[in-house]
Amino acid sequence: GDAPAAKKKPLRFGVADPLTGPAAIFGKDQMQAVRWAVEDINAKGGVNGHPLEAIILDHQAKPEVGIAVVNRFVHVEKVPVYITAFSNVVKAVAPIANREKVLMLSVGANAPAIARLGDYVYTTFPLADVDMNALGKYAYQKMGKRRAAVLHVNHETGRDGAKVFSESFKRAGGKIVVYESYEQERSDFTGLVLKVKAANPDIIHIHSVIRDFTAVVAQMRQLGVKTQITSYQTAFNPKMIQQLGKGAEGIIVTALAPSVEDNKNLPAYIERWKKAYKRMPIGLPYTQYFYDAPYIVAALYKWVLDKKLPITGENMRKALVAIKTFEQPLTNTVTINDDHTVKKPVYFWQVKGGKFTLIGSQKD
Amino acid sequence: MLTWGILGQLLWTGFAAATYYCLFAVAFSLVLKVNKIWNFAQAGVMVFSYFALLVAFRHWSLALVPAIVFGLLITLGVSLALERYAFMVFRDRNSSILTLFIFTIVFSEFSVYLIELAFGTEPQTLYPSLLWPVDLYGGIAISHWDLMAIVVTAVLMLLLYLFVYRTRYGQYLIAVADNENLAEIYGISRKRAYGVSISIAAVLITAGMYLFGTKAALFPSTPLQHLLIFAVIATILAGIGNVFRAGIAAVALSLIQAFSILVIASKWQALLAYILIFVVIIFFPRGFALPRKLSGLVRPSGRSASVAVADTAGD
Amino acid sequence: MEYILTVMVLIGINVILATSFNLILGYGGLMSVAHPIFYAIGAYCSGLLAIHLQIPVPLSILIGAGIAMVLSFGVSLPSLRVSGDYLVIASIGFQLGILHVINNLDFTGAAGGLTNIPVLNEGPSRSLVFVLLIAVVAACAVFLVGWIVEGDYGRAITAMRNDEEAFSALGRNAMNIKIVLFAIGSGMAGLAGALYAHYFAYVTPEQFGIFTSAALLTMVVVGGAATTWGPLVGAVLLTTLPQAITFLGLPVSIMAPLQGVIYTTLVIFFLFARPQGLTGGSRGGGGLEAWSASAAFRARRDAE
Amino acid sequence: MSTIVRVENLHKSFGGIVVADDVNLSFETGEIVGLIGPNGAGKTSLFNLISGVIPPDAGSITLGDHRVDQLPMHHRARIGLARTWQNTRMFHSMSVIDNLLIATRRYPGESLARILFRRRALDAFRQEATEKAVALLERVGLADKMHEMAIELSYGQQKRIGLARALMSDAACLLLDEPMAGVEGQAYETIIRVIREEAQAGRAVCVVEHNISFIRDISDRTVFMFNGCVLASGSVDELTRDSQLTDLYFGGEHPQ
Amino acid sequence: MFEVQNLTACYGPLIAVNDVSLSFETGVRMGIFGHNGSGKSTFLKCLVGGVKDVSGAVVFGGSPIVADQVHRNVMLGIGFVPQVQNVFPNLTVEQNLHIAGSKSNSSFLEEAYALFPLLRERQDQLAGDMSGGEQQMLAVSLALMTRPQILLLDEPTAGLAPAIVKNVLNSLSRINSELGTGLILVEQNVLAALDVVERAIVLKGGRIVFDGASEELRAKEDLWAWF
Ligand SMILES: Nc1ncnc2c1ncn2[C@@H]1O[C@H](COP(=O)(O)OP(=O)(O)OP(=O)(O)O)[C@@H](O)[C@H]1O
Ligand SMILES: Nc1ncnc2c1ncn2[C@@H]1O[C@H](COP(=O)(O)OP(=O)(O)OP(=O)(O)O)[C@@H](O)[C@H]1O
Ligand SMILES: [Mg+2]
Ligand SMILES: [Mg+2]
């Protein structure tokens, strides 16, 4: 029960995510998932009777804020492990983790460079090379596309994702006919859209934040570009369908988290959202990973407590390396490879009749 | 791959997309000219305007006209309050231009935060859907949004033109813009002129925000980070004080950006604009102003008179 | 403790930035807002040199500052042709243009930023040592600027600011003064940038945009433009304020906007309550408008 | 006497308005030249051309041995040119005395390197310059305003400060644009005396004024300009004898 | 009818106009003299409410002149030519005149051109590009455009060529006699001004030290001693 859990000293860990700013739309739901996970763990007695406690701070998806927040985790809150997301922040705060020997778990940032940020930086989330590699191959082989246009927003995730997709598509045998980037916050994409139209591709991959994604697609559809569009996990968002209406039909997005078919806990989880907020979570797959992240932390704490080691970042890291494979409630098996990467199956969803529908997956 | 159809489409859609930039640039330029303020607080006003419209459309589901009226009222209120309780105070104190600079920027930041506090930070559109009906004319897609944007902008510009050049009040604005102390001596209230110009700007801003919000979603921070810079650049390119030319500059700039994608990678498009400003300012410091007509001004050289004058005395 | 030291590093960096910005903007009256780009140039050049050419960090910091100094011609040359409002925009063009290039080049790490910059010093008391270093540099900056603008050179700067044409007609070269002011101010900003890079080990383009310009401007003006201590007070206050607000225990989900609202409200309050800046005298117009450092003036003021 | 400023074949026009049409002029040491002419004749423009505010379309200007028409303003001033402005142009946020000190020639304190290394010498120089400035202010009768801010002075006071400022630099040639306009009648004698003393010290002085008795009292030679041309030169009385000139300038009647 | 009672005007600690009381009819022709800094311009500004820090009362035709409400005050029928910045520099001559006349009527335009024919030639020139004297002509015409009951002129002839000075002063007397427009003239050119005015006032240190008929002032041997 929870009674003993409340008495013992809480086991704390930090979570930094954007709760304000343009990225907050994802961060808010992700933090809700973390809170639920902590509640659930504590309801089951916590870790060896200790309650788990998440210290949630807002980094606004800005590196300089991220540095301040992580400094606070490390020096003021003195946590041995913290979780964060968003590639630019992850990169900015990684040196702190290494220097201060505090374990850092990246959840949701997917720049391939994250695997090489240092000894104390791990990801529990597959990086872009996983889903975009799969999508490139899928587009060529399963969908029979040959000529792709690639557009991406000029930030870390956009650049990396677009690059991995186009390389994979080319490797499979396809041709990239347009490859363009644009700055965030742009509102008019006429030139870009027409350039794509002129190049006449048979598939368009847009690697972009959700607002730009809907604006680009809306303008494409209005200018008569009816080509198949693909994107990645951020577009897995019901708001996108609402804003695009009919224009959203047929869009394919990837997901790195298991679907209802593959995970028995997921339907209940989705129900929980519907009950609490009358909607699906925004960026469902991300929230699955975030829900699961405290479970990893709990496992690490348990390993350290069982070995009666002092609670330090070094020992948390030792625990991670020792445990390696985690059975997770919403994302099934997660194995942390020695090279700091994670491999997971990729799921493909398509908008059909105004709803996301699973159309396939790739597991290897 | 480049067809006339695509060029035509680019011109048309690019033109329509430039309309709200035009409105914002003219509003900015007008306030700069008359109130003599680099009104970076315009971004704040834009945010308030937008979210007033948003509340009217999305939360209260008002019809078009009442919703716009409501948005306009809020915009006017914020603008006039700024003029009365901030600009006027700084002016009376002879504050340095820097102080006003900072105040306007900080006010905009304040507005953004306030709105984020109230409405969250998600991007929002005025209508649930971004799609508008599209008609095809000779291969060129003309969306109803384009038509609306162009008509609204053209009408507003025409009205403004008539107001400035055909009415007495327009003349007052011009006078205050040039020398406000002297204008007072001729019975023109500078405070009223400031109020009028900022109100006109408010109308333009409301229209612009409506157009923007029906085409793309807006983060509270977009006006400050993106829309305003554009207006400032257009104002400068046109030469300070050329209100209408600022609008034209905004359209031109926007079209240049749209077309430049045909020749350069889109990631360098923004750079093109920055280089353009830098170069224009250095080589045409007064903007792309045409040399002023001096042809009407002729006077005979004094030489003609001197012919008749005997050389009075030696040195 | 470590946290406080980190904040102190930031304060030191901002003191250097605000002080040098004040030299250009407050004293020189040169309305350039491109100051953060020299901060960026210092940070990136020094970081890249240390990463790719393995130049020892102290040397690369100096080179970074030097490059910023040289590139200040990018703004000082236009300032010879245009002034006031036009200079503001030319400088914005310069700033955003260079930033855009950094943002799109691969070897600068593009939008993702430059990671794994070697740090200046390691060891258990690394931050303490760094804070001491920054404090020394900041103090030098404040005194250097104070020293440049007091006395005769300062008078020449003020005269140039008042009426450049009349100034030139007296045989004074406005161009020299502008170039010198920009070079010194930008060099100091470059130094600050290089120090930042080798402490935090990471820089990204978005740190150097127009918002940083605004933040620096705010420090200068709220503290008191064209005063020696104003930028220092402004930098200390406006760097600690946001940090302090985070400890108010506000709800996380609205922390950032609420923090923003509190912060901007305070700034607006200062602007209204202390129009000459926190350190400005009571004289109308404040430090920015009045030139009060002449020996004669001081003598009279002391007499009164 | 030697020639300090020589203007040859100078041309300048703004659109259709010719402000200098083949102007030939020279100013000699110790000489006071009065420049008169109707409004818009081009007197101020001539000063602007000589001092470098506007570039000439054609022609040459020599100052001492230097050809200066392509040199920037501050260069010409350093060679030895000082001027006043028709509309005062004070450094408004500085005190009166600082307005004068700025005009000191070769002020060492305005070179950063020298401030860094030679502070002693500087102090001595500053002392000297301040004394000189005070003396000049006494000569124009405004020593008691020394510490006021220039912007807070009345128009006539600013005009006189402008004159004193121009005298600070010991320039070989002084161009004075309407030094008496707006200045009280009582200061008449003072200003005449000051200008005479400067001429006696070997400077060439050119004065633009509409106050014809002032010009008569002060000038050794008077030049009449009309619509950009130098129409005549001689003493005031010689000029006023010419009925056409008086028509142009005095509107028919002969003055006094 | 202008009534000034115990008027004091300050710039910070400096008292520029000190306890001045005075009254005159609308059709008056009055000159104000005094040395530089004696407060003439300040006094004139006070008459239209252009100085903020004042005490005492100024009443024109029964209506009080309110400080810092220049635009209202002038509508009572006062025309004012300030000493500096008295034209709209970036507007053409014609626009200048139109704006000056816009609150009353523009029909005076032709008369203004007749007074200064040069202005008609320069209709399209920017006022700021004109020579000092040309601007002065424009400034006077601007004030005339409002057809005021009383005209306050701060050194209107400074910088004007003698021919024009005479012309301006003659026209001013003509306007005074034909239209009954009052004239308050501040002048350094005392002798020329004394020909035009019938009453003279001398200010010194902000106080009135002489107030009487112009002939009386002219007759004084020690004219300058009064200053
Ligand atoms: N920048 C300019 N653009 C156009 N015209 C100009 C410009 N500057 C001067 N002018 C014209 O040139 C003529 C000569 O002007 P200038 O100022 O030299 O006259 P001035 O002899 O000094 O007259 P005043 O005695 O009235 O001061 C004037 O008619 C003026 O309108
Ligand atoms: N804006 C101001 N701030 C402070 N003091 C001022 C200001 N304007 C004028 N003064 C002071 O007020 C006094 C009167 O000035 P005013 O301009 O009225 O003199 P004036 O009689 O018009 O002189 P002038 O003949 O030189 O034009 C002067 O001592 C002047 O220094
Ligand atoms: Mg002149
Ligand atoms: Mg005066």
Side-chain angles (χ1 to χ4, degrees):
Chain A
D2 17 333
K7 273 191 207 124
K8 283 194 180 170
K9 196 167 147 273
L11 302 172
R12 291 144 38 100
F13 65 103
V15 190
D17 215 32
L19 293 172
T20 55
I25 180 174
F26 293 103
K28 280 185 181 156
D29 283 5
Q30 291 166 357
M31 289 309 99
Q32 184 54 58
V34 169
R35 281 189 208 103
W36 276 338
V38 172
E39 270 170 33
D40 295 352
I41 292 170
N42 289 343
K44 295 215 180 84
V47 184
N48 295 356
H50 292 269
L52 210 54
E53 183 186 328
I55 302 161
I56 296 176
L57 289 178
D58 173 20
H59 66 43
Q60 302 172 33
K62 287 186 190 156
E64 63 278 18
V65 184
I67 289 177
V69 163
V70 167
N71 265 321
R72 187 163 161 183
F73 283 152
V74 174
H75 301 300
V76 181
E77 312 290 351
K78 302 211 183 315
V79 296
V81 53
Y82 64 86
I83 295 169
T84 187
F86 286 79
S87 299
N88 50 352
V89 178
V90 166
K91 280 180 159 186
V93 300
I96 306 179
N98 293 323
R99 189 168 59 233
E100 306 295 339
K101 301 207 171 21
V102 172
L103 182 64
M104 162 170 158
L105 299 178
S106 156
V107 184
N110 64 354
I114 287 172
R116 300 181 298 274
L117 285 180
D119 287 349
Y120 280 82
V121 181
Y122 282 88
T123 170
T124 69
F125 181 85
L127 302 178
D129 29 7
V130 177
D131 60 338
M132 285 303 110
N133 255 327
L135 181 64
K137 217 148 72 181
Y138 185 84
Y140 187 89
Q141 292 168 353
K142 295 268 166 54
M143 296 162 67
K145 304 297 183 189
R146 293 295 173 264
R147 298 160 51 80
V150 178
L151 307 181
H152 69 88
V153 62
N154 183 26
H155 65 31
E156 191 72 28
T157 311
R159 286 163 63 90
D160 288 338
K163 196 156 119 212
V164 177
F165 172 86
S166 51
E167 269 159 19
S168 154
F169 189 72
K170 277 191 280 193
R171 224 176 304 118
K175 189 164 171 248
I176 305 292
V177 290
V178 173
Y179 191 91
E180 291 282 1
S181 76
Y182 53 85
E183 297 301 316
Q184 289 182 60
E185 306 249 328
R186 207 156 119 178
S187 59
D188 174 42
F189 300 92
T190 313
L192 210 55
V193 169
L194 290 175
K195 186 162 184 177
V196 169
K197 187 177 185 182
N200 193 25
D202 46 23
I203 183 167
I204 302 170
H205 179 70
I206 304 174
H207 214 91
S208 168
V209 292
I210 186 71
R211 169 189 175 277
D212 301 342
F213 180 79
T214 45
V216 178
V217 176
Q219 291 178 31
M220 279 187 173
R221 296 303 189 228
Q222 298 200 323
L223 290 172
V225 180
K226 305 264 185 285
T227 319
Q228 168 71 53
I229 289 172
T230 61
S231 186
Y232 75 118
Q233 207 156 275
T234 45
F236 198 136
N237 178 343
K239 270 205 166 164
M240 180 271 279
I241 301 180
Q242 190 197 9
Q243 287 182 351
L244 288 175
K246 275 216 167 65
E249 279 308 292
I251 291 175
I252 294 177
V253 301
T254 59
L256 282 158
S259 62
V260 206
E261 288 79 359
D262 287 0
N263 183 294
K264 58 181 192 324
N265 297 326
L266 197 53
Y269 174 75
I270 293 175
E271 264 321 297
R272 194 171 184 177
W273 275 101
K274 290 203 168 139
K275 232 171 104 193
Y277 294 99
K278 309 201 168 42
R279 61 172 168 84
M280 291 282 281
I282 290 174
L284 171 67
Y286 291 117
T287 68
Q288 289 172 254
Y289 278 93
F290 266 93
Y291 179 87
D292 286 358
Y295 284 86
I296 294 185
V297 174
L300 300 180
Y301 263 123
K302 185 166 175 23
W303 189 89
V304 174
L305 288 178
D306 288 349
K307 294 254 174 335
K308 302 223 159 32
L309 294 171
I311 297 174
T312 62
E314 275 169 79
N315 290 331
M316 296 302 266
R317 176 172 183 273
K318 273 191 202 134
L320 184 79
V321 176
I323 303 172
K324 228 179 141 165
T325 301
F326 299 83
E327 279 309 323
Q328 296 287 67
L330 293 182
T331 54
N332 303 343
T333 312
V334 170
T335 303
I336 313 272
N337 300 327
D338 291 339
D339 62 356
H340 292 230
T341 60
V342 173
K343 267 231 140 19
K344 295 287 290 178
V346 180
Y347 300 82
F348 302 108
W349 297 74
Q350 187 165 34
V351 181
K352 284 184 183 162
K355 276 218 279 296
F356 285 107
T357 321
L358 189 66
I359 53 166
S361 67
Q362 188 167 329
K363 308 174 195 183
D364 47 289
Chain B
M1 80 170 204
L2 260 187
T3 63
W4 286 112
I6 283 184
L7 284 180
Q9 182 77 64
L10 199 51
L11 192 63
W12 168 257
T13 319
F15 197 67
T19 49
Y20 46 82
Y21 288 119
C22 171
L23 292 169
F24 299 144
V26 170
F28 187 83
S29 183
L30 183 72
V31 173
L32 176 60
K33 185 176 165 112
V34 178
N35 305 43
K36 304 212 183 52
I37 283 174
W38 286 88
N39 185 16
F40 296 110
Q42 181 172 324
V45 177
M46 283 155 84
V47 176
F48 280 118
S49 177
Y50 189 83
F51 281 82
L53 289 172
L54 191 84
V55 167
F57 280 113
R58 301 291 290 267
H59 296 210
W60 299 342
S61 314
L62 294 185
L64 180 68
V65 175
I68 298 268
V69 169
F70 176 74
L72 186 60
L73 285 179
I74 297 284
T75 317
L76 276 172
V78 175
S79 303
L80 288 170
L82 262 180
E83 167 59 39
R84 173 69 190 76
Y85 296 106
F87 299 166
M88 213 63 209
V89 173
F90 285 117
R91 231 185 252 124
D92 284 347
R93 284 182 183 171
N94 274 328
S95 291
S96 72
I97 173 170
L98 271 185
T99 310
L100 263 168
F101 221 75
I102 294 300
F103 169 77
T104 53
I105 294 178
V106 172
F107 174 81
S108 281
E109 290 179 351
F110 168 80
S111 321
V112 172
Y113 289 129
L114 197 66
I115 291 291
E116 282 183 353
L117 207 55
F119 292 88
T121 44
E122 286 102 74
Q124 313 250 20
T125 49
L126 288 184
Y127 296 142
S129 163
L130 285 177
L131 294 182
W132 286 73
V134 176
D135 300 325
L136 275 177
Y137 293 97
I140 292 184
I142 292 188
S143 117
H144 289 195
W145 184 89
D146 299 347
L147 289 175
M148 171 188 73
I150 288 176
V151 169
V152 166
T153 308
V155 167
L156 284 176
M157 289 297 110
L158 186 70
L159 287 178
L160 181 61
Y161 185 88
L162 292 178
F163 178 80
V164 172
Y165 292 107
R166 293 282 179 276
T167 70
R168 205 176 249 240
Y169 293 96
Q171 294 292 304
Y172 297 166
L173 289 193
I174 294 180
V176 169
D178 207 41
N179 183 344
E180 68 272 21
N181 293 322
L182 193 61
E184 291 250 300
I185 291 175
Y186 292 107
I188 299 165
S189 160
R190 75 195 153 99
K191 292 191 182 172
R192 178 149 339 133
Y194 295 147
V196 169
S197 92
I198 207 145
S199 306
I200 295 176
V203 173
L204 300 178
I205 288 169
T206 313
M209 289 326 284
Y210 175 76
L211 294 182
F212 187 98
T214 46
K215 180 175 170 97
L218 184 107
F219 293 110
S221 60
T222 308
L224 190 53
Q225 297 199 323
H226 181 66
L227 301 178
L228 191 64
I229 276 276
F230 203 93
V232 176
I233 292 173
T235 300
I236 287 284
L237 286 186
I240 292 171
N242 292 306
V243 175
F244 291 98
R245 232 182 269 155
I248 297 173
V251 173
L253 210 58
S254 165
L255 279 180
I256 288 175
Q257 283 214 12
F259 273 96
S260 65
I261 190 160
L262 302 176
V263 268
I264 54 173
S266 86
K267 70 175 177 184
W268 298 120
Q269 268 179 299
L271 186 62
L272 189 78
Y274 300 134
I275 293 177
L276 193 72
I277 339 173
F278 194 70
V279 169
V280 164
I281 289 193
I282 291 177
F283 294 100
F284 308 91
R286 298 282 149 219
F288 274 126
L290 307 169
R292 242 169 29 77
K293 267 203 323 255
L294 279 171
S295 53
L297 297 172
V298 194
R299 73 169 183 196
S301 144
R303 202 139 304 284
S304 50
S306 76
V307 181
V309 179
D311 213 23
T312 330
D315 295 22
Chain C
M1 187 58 202
E2 182 72 20
Y3 175 75
I4 294 176
L5 289 177
T6 315
V7 173
M8 284 170 77
V9 170
L10 279 179
I11 291 178
I13 301 247
N14 283 337
V15 168
I16 303 176
L17 287 172
T19 303
S20 52
F21 198 22
N22 184 37
L23 177 66
I24 296 173
L25 185 87
Y27 288 109
L30 298 164
M31 298 281 284
S32 156
V33 293
H35 208 56
I37 201 64
F38 300 108
Y39 179 40
I41 288 169
Y44 269 96
C45 290
S46 176
L48 287 169
L49 286 174
I51 294 173
H52 293 296
L53 303 181
Q54 280 87 37
I55 290 180
V57 173
L59 187 61
S60 75
I61 289 180
L62 292 181
I63 300 180
I67 296 178
M69 205 162 186
V70 171
L71 289 185
S72 73
F73 280 115
V75 195
S76 59
L77 293 185
S79 81
L80 302 180
R81 278 189 66 90
V82 296
S83 59
D85 309 339
Y86 291 93
L87 184 57
V88 176
I89 307 303
S91 67
I92 290 183
F94 183 78
Q95 176 181 11
L96 296 185
I98 293 197
L99 210 55
H100 193 84
V101 172
I102 296 178
N103 209 0
N104 282 284
L105 286 182
D106 282 325
F107 78 96
T108 59
L114 192 60
T115 33
N116 291 326
I117 302 173
V119 292
L120 178 64
N121 58 335
E122 294 278 10
S125 52
R126 135 190 153 92
S127 293
L128 190 63
V129 173
F130 201 88
V131 166
L132 293 177
L133 173 74
I134 278 275
V136 171
V137 176
C140 290
V142 172
F143 284 112
L144 180 67
V145 169
W147 193 45
I148 289 176
V149 300
E150 77 147 27
D152 306 323
Y153 200 76
R155 183 173 54 218
I157 296 174
T158 313
M160 175 198 76
R161 195 173 74 206
N162 280 182
D163 186 338
E164 206 179 311
E165 203 169 80
F167 181 71
S168 299
L170 295 173
R172 295 277 174 274
N173 189 346
M175 181 171 79
N176 274 348
I177 294 189
K178 288 184 178 179
I179 290 177
V180 165
L181 288 185
F182 269 116
I184 294 180
S186 306
M188 274 160 44
L191 186 64
L195 287 169
Y196 180 97
H198 294 285
Y199 179 79
F200 290 103
Y202 174 81
V203 289
T204 123
E206 57 191 271
Q207 280 167 279
F208 307 104
I210 226 66
F211 282 85
T212 313
S213 303
L216 290 181
L217 261 170
T218 313
M219 289 177 196
V220 173
V221 173
V222 166
T227 60
T228 310
W229 301 106
L232 184 129
V233 173
V236 173
L237 186 76
L238 297 184
T239 317
T240 31
L241 205 59
Q243 303 287 347
I245 295 173
T246 56
F247 284 95
L248 287 182
L250 308 170
V252 201
S253 59
I254 53 160
M255 168 104 97
L258 197 56
Q259 188 186 349
V261 168
I262 296 175
Y263 176 83
T264 48
T265 310
L266 281 173
V267 171
I268 291 176
F269 170 77
F270 288 138
L271 286 177
F272 276 97
R274 297 284 318 211
Q276 327 75 10
L278 294 170
T279 63
S282 53
R283 221 194 152 84
L288 195 68
E289 285 309 320
W291 160 250
S292 56
S294 85
F297 191 87
R298 250 180 282 145
R300 180 174 71 139
R301 198 178 42 193
D302 295 344
E304 280 168 9
Chain D
M1 282 222 278
S2 65
T3 305
I4 293 184
V5 175
R6 184 184 297 285
V7 173
E8 280 165 347
N9 307 74
L10 199 64
H11 278 278
K12 176 74 191 177
S13 63
F14 294 107
I17 296 179
V18 183
V19 294
D21 185 4
D22 197 22
V23 172
N24 288 285
L25 264 181
S26 62
F27 306 143
E28 319 274 319
T29 50
E31 186 192 32
I32 301 175
V33 179
L35 186 56
I36 60 173
N39 293 116
K43 305 178 294 295
T44 301
S45 301
L46 183 63
F47 278 12
N48 285 345
L49 285 162
I50 296 178
S51 62
V53 178
I54 51 177
D57 293 341
S60 77
I61 302 167
T62 40
L63 186 60
D65 309 325
H66 306 265
R67 170 108 189 237
V68 297
D69 42 274
Q70 300 304 323
L71 293 182
M73 231 193 299
H74 64 92
H75 238 103
R76 304 188 197 191
R78 281 187 196 167
I79 295 173
L81 201 65
R83 68 168 294 181
T84 67
W85 306 83
Q86 191 166 354
N87 51 351
T88 69
R89 300 191 85 156
M90 296 283 99
F91 299 120
H92 53 80
S93 72
M94 304 198 319
S95 65
V96 167
I97 183 110
D98 280 323
N99 261 281
L100 263 66
L101 286 176
I102 273 294
T104 319
R105 236 176 149 200
R106 302 220 178 76
Y107 204 106
E110 282 156 27
S111 140
L112 263 193
R114 278 201 226 144
I115 312 190
L116 292 178
F117 303 114
R118 310 220 18 215
R119 305 218 84 174
R120 267 289 135 64
L122 253 183
D123 288 341
F125 192 97
R126 186 182 299 130
Q127 186 67 30
E128 207 179 297
T130 313
E131 277 162 20
K132 184 172 171 197
V134 173
L136 269 170
L137 284 175
E138 268 160 16
R139 278 171 75 190
V140 297
L142 285 171
D144 57 324
K145 300 281 176 191
M146 188 157 88
H147 299 299
E148 314 256 298
M149 288 284 144
I151 185 118
E152 292 171 0
L153 296 182
S154 79
Y155 183 77
Q157 290 165 340
Q158 290 191 22
K159 284 282 292 240
R160 280 145 73 191
I161 303 294
L163 175 64
R165 186 172 74 183
L167 298 183
M168 265 311 269
S169 65
D170 293 325
C173 174
L174 283 175
L175 307 176
L176 307 177
D177 200 348
E178 306 201 11
M180 280 306 290
V183 171
E184 66 196 51
Q186 208 182 6
Y188 190 90
E189 297 298 332
T190 320
I191 295 203
I192 289 210
R193 195 180 61 241
V194 169
I195 297 178
R196 284 231 179 91
E197 283 166 4
E198 292 301 316
Q200 268 151 26
R203 275 178 254 300
V205 184
C206 179
V207 190
V208 168
E209 250 306 331
H210 289 300
N211 184 337
I212 201 70
S213 53
F214 179 81
I215 290 289
R216 194 202 313 272
D217 288 352
I218 204 171
S219 70
D220 303 319
R221 175 164 66 98
T222 303
V223 174
F224 185 90
M225 272 190 91
F226 177 69
N227 281 9
C229 287
V230 173
L231 283 196
S233 101
S235 75
V236 172
D237 292 326
E238 281 164 348
L239 294 184
T240 48
R241 239 174 271 137
D242 184 307
S243 65
Q244 190 164 2
L245 293 189
T246 46
D247 270 354
L248 290 175
Y249 194 43
F250 300 104
E253 267 168 56
H254 283 249
Q256 283 98 41
Chain E
M1 175 81 173
F2 242 119
E3 274 172 289
V4 180
Q5 264 163 16
N6 304 95
L7 180 72
T8 300
C10 305
Y11 296 109
L14 182 114
I15 301 173
V17 171
N18 199 346
D19 196 22
V20 169
S21 299
L22 184 71
S23 74
F24 42 89
E25 292 304 320
T26 317
V28 73
R29 278 189 286 173
M30 184 167 87
I32 301 178
F33 308 106
H35 64 66
N36 293 137
S38 57
K40 305 180 295 294
S41 301
T42 309
F43 178 67
L44 231 49
K45 274 188 223 157
C46 290
L47 294 187
V48 290
V51 182
K52 262 183 230 164
D53 189 2
V54 288
S55 62
V58 182
V59 178
F60 177 67
S63 320
I65 297 290
V66 188
D68 212 19
Q69 292 283 339
V70 179
H71 64 282
R72 296 251 171 79
N73 302 332
V74 293
M75 293 312 282
L76 300 171
I78 310 174
F80 177 39
V81 182
Q83 189 165 11
V84 287
Q85 296 187 359
N86 43 23
V87 296
F88 296 102
N90 299 310
L91 301 182
T92 63
V93 169
E94 196 181 5
Q95 278 175 311
N96 263 279
L97 290 165
H98 272 298
I99 283 171
S102 63
K103 284 265 174 177
S104 37
N105 64 30
S106 307
S107 63
F108 214 64
L109 194 64
E110 283 309 314
E111 276 172 71
Y113 283 151
L115 182 57
F116 300 111
L118 180 103
L119 295 181
R120 189 198 300 278
E121 277 169 41
R122 299 298 177 81
Q123 269 181 28
D124 297 326
Q125 189 173 16
L126 295 191
D129 282 351
M130 298 206 299
S131 84
E134 289 162 353
Q135 290 187 24
Q136 201 65 27
M137 299 177 204
L138 179 59
V140 173
S141 335
L142 290 184
L144 290 177
M145 288 298 288
T146 63
R147 296 236 190 188
Q149 294 172 40
I150 190 161
L151 249 178
L152 317 179
L153 302 136
D154 198 349
E155 308 205 13
T157 65
L160 290 184
I164 313 279
V165 171
K166 218 168 42 177
N167 193 359
V168 169
L169 292 180
N170 289 342
S171 316
L172 289 177
S173 342
R174 210 191 66 227
I175 289 166
N176 172 267
S177 50
E178 285 174 11
L179 302 173
T181 306
L183 292 178
I184 311 277
L185 204 59
V186 169
E187 264 301 335
Q188 289 299 347
N189 194 347
V190 182
L191 292 174
L194 283 179
D195 290 342
V196 180
V197 299
E198 52 200 14
R199 178 174 173 190
I201 282 175
V202 179
L203 286 180
K204 183 171 185 174
R207 290 179 187 275
I208 295 185
V209 292
F210 174 92
D211 184 353
S214 55
E215 290 313 315
E216 200 181 322
L217 184 63
R218 197 204 295 277
K220 293 219 182 284
E221 289 288 303
D222 53 342
L223 185 66
W224 294 117
W226 284 95
F227 288 63

